[in-house]
Amino acid sequence: MTAEMTQDAAASNAGEPKEVLVTVKDLQRHFPVRAGLLKRKVGVVKAVDDVTFDIYRGETLGLVGESGSGKTTTGRVILQLDIATGGDIDFAGNNVLALSNSDLRALRPRMQTIFQDPHACLNPRMTVASIVGEPLREHEKMLSADREARIHELLKLVGLAPEHANRYPHEFSGGQRQRIGIARAIALNPDFIVCDEPIAALDVSIQAQVVNLLLELQEELGLTYLFISHDLSMVRHMADRVAVMYLGKIVELAEVDDLYDRPLHPYTQALQSAVPVPDPIVERSRERVILEGDIPSPSNPPSGCRFRTRCPIATERCESEEPEFREVRAGQWVACHYADQQQNAGG
Amino acid sequence: MDEVVLDVDGLHTRFRTQDGTVHAVNGVDFELRAGEFLGVVGESGSGKSVTMMSLLKLIPMPPGEITDGTARFGDMDLLQLDAQGLRDVRGGRIGFIFQDPMTSLNPVIPVGKQITEAILLHTDSSKAQAKERAEELLHLVGIPDPKQRLKNYPHEMSGGMRQRVMIAMAIACSPEIIIADEPTTALDVTIQAQIIDQVRRLQDELGTAVVWITHDLAVVAGLADRVLVMYGGRVVEEARVDVLYSNPQHPYTRGLLASLPRLDQQGHELVSIDGQPPNMLREPVGCSFAPRCEYAFDRCHTETPQFVEVAIGQKVACHFDLNKGEPR
């Protein structure tokens, strides 16, 4: 049922309205900085600051950024693994931030997560069967025979064998462990999965295995992904739309081809130009925008546009006035005062 | 460009651990020419770091043990050097840059002092000269306000800045070779681009031979003159950079390239390499890649393929001829 709807949604690139599954509006996560004997609040780290986006059912929204950009915190707050200090989150018609604990618990099976480090997120004392079966025990009333059948079905879905069920995590390689984490995430037939750097800890030859599995499962089960990653090449491969974060803000959000072929924000342009391509001939002919300086501290971000200290086209206006996040071209949202010029310059 | 500055032959390194013997490096041969940029690509456990560390005995011994091989550097064999000989070469004629500058810099000594220490140890400079040189080096690696920065402790610098300090230390004594082990892996991509740009310019200027170890085929594509691909403790392919990426002759190299997403392309399917990297606790028999190789046949499982030249400047360790589609 969900799968059909998703395929319809995916097929309806032109025209038909897409169903919004997750809406994030003006989301904030500010961490207080405390110091001294009395732990007085001396400042605030705006890890996520007024972030707004929709995620359509059946799509993959890529969320990219460098360390400290707030991409992981955004994912955690959406799943309510961390609190929001402002803004709204709507998940399939539920106002997530206003839900009671029991209502939130009832909603949890529909939104799951896959973590970066498959070594840290699996309990070493539990067998694979109990790890994958735990959400079933928590959230579903099932006969143990049914549960066992479901566990075997899940293991098969992620490319493991039923005989793996009674083994422990340490008996598996990194890639296989990530498969166990995926089996656990899909156990309750979720609508939505936050994939937080799911391949960053894996060897190159194993990354493609896991990514292909995620894509297969998405098609088969009609899943919606928020794919958080610092790997711009992999996000281009995985995502339908991409949001770029810098110091707690989204600076650009667009359909994947628009973002990669016609980026409008200077940071998006610089980020892409910094990513090497595995092709010596292409590499030699590329012109690089090398950004000056380091990423400023999130506890003391620059005034106005946060990117201005490293931006090649910054002016005085960028220092005094924070750029509005606006739709510059159909479906392409940019937070830059000069996005229109960039667009005209790019044709 | 043609003079060979380092010639490694038949290098074997093992680690004796509680779980058994780890066969980390199982017969590595390669040459490094003066002024050359050599990329060494491999996944974790492929032996790429241990190979380079073994050359200057930077591996813990025990449990590590270099069981065989020679490494000719000028008129000496690095593997036969005594402690004094090693000290002269390390940081002097061969410089190192490691992945994580936070663990390789001393946290309680200002960076300036750490750089001058290296200069005083390896040259006849006076303290004042060394300090002047340190300042010049920081300027050379693109650190603004070098005089002030010399007084900083490592924790007062960002990751990119610390890596620049590491580079300054590595080039401090004008080495003939710099070995850089995943120097940009811990850095953000915009900072990685800065460091790569810096290293490329320094190499143009100084003409030092560089060995750049990485797991990322994309990083060395624009940097290297020649690339070695390692798997299971051996070099499985060696070629000039253009040839390696356009006409790889080892199934592993070919598989790796097919499994990589590209920023400049969309829609091509990622072809994954099935199976898992080899268990290095097992004594390698035959080709280490055979269990994952779609072209493998009987001989691959029993006989280690020779590392042979298949075209000018291109060497491969594989029983199967990919061009002809039949065993060699």
Side-chain angles (χ1 to χ4, degrees):
Chain A
M1 23 136 236
T2 2
E4 279 165 36
M5 276 173 57
T6 318
Q7 270 149 24
D8 286 353
S12 71
N13 252 342
E16 284 172 57
K18 290 181 262 184
E19 184 195 346
V20 175
L21 182 65
V22 183
T23 300
V24 173
K25 194 159 187 314
D26 300 330
L27 188 70
Q28 291 183 350
R29 176 62 173 115
H30 292 180
F31 293 95
V33 180
R34 294 177 193 280
L37 194 59
L38 301 172
K39 295 281 170 234
R40 257 195 281 261
K41 192 173 146 183
V42 294
V44 58
V45 174
K46 297 177 177 175
V48 178
D49 200 22
D50 292 330
V51 160
T52 298
F53 57 82
D54 291 334
I55 306 175
Y56 299 114
R57 188 181 278 281
E59 80 164 348
T60 298
L61 178 69
L63 190 56
V64 301
E66 297 179 276
S67 44
S69 63
K71 55 191 193 303
T72 292
T73 308
T74 303
R76 290 177 58 86
V77 173
I78 293 174
L79 293 179
Q80 284 297 288
L81 301 174
D82 194 354
I83 58 163
T85 51
D88 287 302
I89 301 167
D90 182 283
F91 177 81
N94 300 281
N95 181 352
V96 174
L97 299 183
L99 290 179
S100 68
N101 281 345
S102 62
D103 288 344
L104 182 61
R105 191 180 142 78
L107 200 61
R108 289 229 181 263
R110 300 178 61 188
M111 40 194 224
Q112 294 288 319
T113 181
I114 299 167
F115 295 101
Q116 169 172 355
D117 186 352
H119 298 255
C121 72
L122 303 177
N123 186 333
R125 291 162 190 269
M126 284 166 76
T127 62
V128 170
S130 47
I131 289 169
V132 176
E134 192 174 33
L136 299 170
R137 273 195 309 278
E138 278 290 313
H139 289 280
E140 306 258 349
K141 289 199 173 68
M142 275 179 137
L143 294 173
S144 62
D146 291 346
R147 189 161 62 227
E148 199 178 321
R150 173 70 177 150
I151 290 168
H152 286 175
E153 183 191 11
L154 287 165
L155 290 181
K156 219 176 123 200
L157 263 175
V158 299
L160 295 170
E163 60 262 29
H164 289 134
N166 294 320
R167 297 201 197 151
Y168 290 88
H170 77 264
E171 299 175 61
F172 295 90
S173 65
Q176 287 172 316
R177 264 183 265 208
Q178 201 53 292
R179 289 175 192 266
I180 299 168
I182 294 171
R184 175 175 62 183
I186 62 171
L188 295 166
N189 287 317
D191 300 280
F192 175 56
I193 300 181
V194 173
C195 309
D196 188 2
E197 300 267 14
I199 54 163
L202 304 177
D203 265 324
V204 183
S205 74
I206 307 298
Q207 289 187 350
Q209 290 180 8
V210 171
V211 161
N212 286 343
L213 173 65
L214 287 172
L215 289 171
E216 276 164 35
L217 290 173
Q218 178 168 46
E219 200 169 301
E220 220 162 300
L221 307 173
L223 296 167
T224 304
Y225 291 142
L226 178 65
F227 189 82
I228 300 170
S229 179
H230 68 281
D231 182 342
L232 271 86
S233 309
M234 196 56 96
V235 168
R236 170 153 216 183
H237 182 75
M238 281 288 289
D240 300 298
R241 290 186 309 138
V242 181
V244 181
M245 284 188 83
Y246 186 79
L247 282 178
K249 295 262 184 199
I250 293 185
V251 296
E252 183 158 7
L253 191 164
E255 300 270 339
V256 63
D257 284 341
D258 290 335
L259 191 103
Y260 283 84
D261 295 337
R262 290 178 294 278
L264 292 180
H265 197 286
Y267 178 61
T268 316
Q269 293 165 356
L271 201 56
Q272 286 182 21
S273 131
V275 177
V277 173
D279 185 334
I281 296 157
V282 173
E283 277 293 302
R284 272 196 291 270
S285 64
R286 283 174 90 196
E287 271 183 45
R288 283 238 146 74
V289 187
I290 306 269
L291 289 179
E292 302 268 314
D294 286 310
I295 304 168
S297 158
S299 63
N300 187 20
S303 64
C305 173
R306 291 182 183 189
F307 182 58
R308 69 170 167 83
T309 51
R310 301 173 77 199
C311 182
I313 59 165
T315 63
E316 276 168 33
R317 184 178 169 204
C318 304
E319 190 175 339
S320 54
E321 193 185 322
E322 188 170 335
E324 189 195 347
F325 186 54
R326 63 209 162 90
E327 192 166 14
V328 175
R329 198 161 43 202
Q332 188 155 9
W333 294 70
V334 187
C336 175
H337 294 308
Y338 301 105
D340 303 287
Q341 278 100 309
Q342 295 275 328
Q343 184 186 3
N344 297 335
Chain B
M1 184 85 193
D2 287 321
E3 186 204 345
V4 174
V5 286
L6 178 66
D7 185 356
V8 177
D9 198 28
L11 181 72
H12 285 74
T13 304
R14 287 182 198 156
F15 292 89
R16 299 205 187 277
T17 68
Q18 281 182 338
D19 300 329
T21 304
V22 176
H23 302 267
V25 179
N26 304 306
V28 163
D29 310 329
F30 72 92
E31 287 175 355
L32 179 69
R33 300 189 187 103
E36 179 182 41
F37 202 116
L38 181 70
V40 181
V41 178
E43 298 178 274
S44 44
S46 63
K48 56 190 190 303
S49 292
V50 177
T51 296
M52 298 305 160
M53 300 287 184
S54 297
L55 298 179
L56 289 182
K57 302 204 177 134
L58 289 169
I59 52 170
M61 297 199 280
E65 190 190 341
I66 298 166
T67 54
D68 199 5
T70 57
R72 297 220 65 81
F73 176 58
D75 52 3
M76 59 179 129
D77 180 357
L78 291 176
L79 302 180
Q80 301 303 326
L81 287 180
D82 58 9
Q84 179 60 44
L86 281 171
R87 253 201 309 277
D88 290 342
V89 175
R90 289 177 188 157
R93 297 180 62 192
I94 300 182
F96 268 87
I97 305 170
F98 297 102
Q99 173 171 348
D100 183 0
M102 202 54 201
T103 52
S104 21
L105 289 170
N106 188 330
V108 296
I109 299 178
V111 296
K113 190 155 181 230
Q114 299 189 50
I115 301 173
T116 49
E117 237 173 37
I119 299 170
L120 291 171
L121 187 69
H122 291 289
T123 63
D124 301 326
S125 322
S126 69
K127 264 192 170 166
Q129 284 171 326
K131 208 170 164 194
E132 203 173 299
R133 170 85 175 136
E135 197 181 317
E136 182 189 309
L137 284 164
L138 286 196
H139 178 74
L140 198 63
V141 296
I143 292 183
D145 198 7
K147 207 174 188 115
Q148 283 308 308
R149 283 296 184 175
L150 284 175
K151 297 176 197 155
N152 279 172
Y153 289 89
H155 75 267
E156 294 173 299
M157 301 182 137
S158 67
M161 202 81 92
R162 283 196 289 263
Q163 200 55 288
R164 286 174 193 268
V165 170
M166 285 298 294
I167 295 171
M169 286 173 75
I171 61 173
C173 306
S174 311
E176 288 145 70
I177 301 173
I178 292 174
I179 297 177
D181 188 0
E182 302 260 10
T184 59
T185 305
L187 303 175
D188 274 316
V189 61
T190 56
I191 310 297
Q192 166 172 294
Q194 292 174 355
I195 298 288
I196 287 178
D197 183 55
Q198 191 73 55
V199 169
R200 194 186 275 132
R201 268 191 283 154
L202 279 174
Q203 206 220 358
D204 276 353
E205 228 165 282
L206 309 174
T208 316
V210 178
V211 179
W212 185 287
I213 305 169
T214 181
H215 68 281
D216 188 345
L217 272 164
V219 166
V220 286
L223 275 174
D225 301 309
R226 228 158 29 103
V227 178
L228 308 179
V229 179
M230 290 193 66
Y231 190 85
R234 290 201 185 97
V235 179
V236 295
E237 181 156 8
E238 172 196 324
R240 292 201 58 80
V241 68
D242 288 8
V243 175
L244 189 94
Y245 288 76
S246 61
N247 189 19
Q249 287 300 314
H250 196 284
Y252 175 63
T253 317
R254 198 171 273 198
L256 264 189
L257 284 166
S259 72
L260 283 183
R262 286 179 59 152
L263 186 82
D264 58 344
Q265 280 177 10
Q266 210 213 355
H268 75 107
E269 201 191 330
L270 301 188
V271 185
S272 64
I273 305 176
D274 284 341
Q276 309 296 332
N279 180 353
M280 304 304 282
L281 282 168
R282 253 179 246 140
E283 174 122 31
V285 178
C287 169
S288 303
F289 188 61
R292 303 175 74 185
C293 181
E294 57 182 304
Y295 304 101
F297 58 105
D298 320 345
R299 204 182 344 144
C300 302
H301 298 283
T302 54
E303 191 186 313
T304 306
Q306 295 288 316
F307 192 46
V308 291
E309 190 150 19
V310 293
I312 294 169
Q314 186 170 25
K315 286 179 166 181
V316 180
C318 181
H319 289 310
F320 195 83
D321 189 328
L322 282 178
N323 281 347
K324 291 191 189 138
E326 59 183 38
R328 260 184 237 289

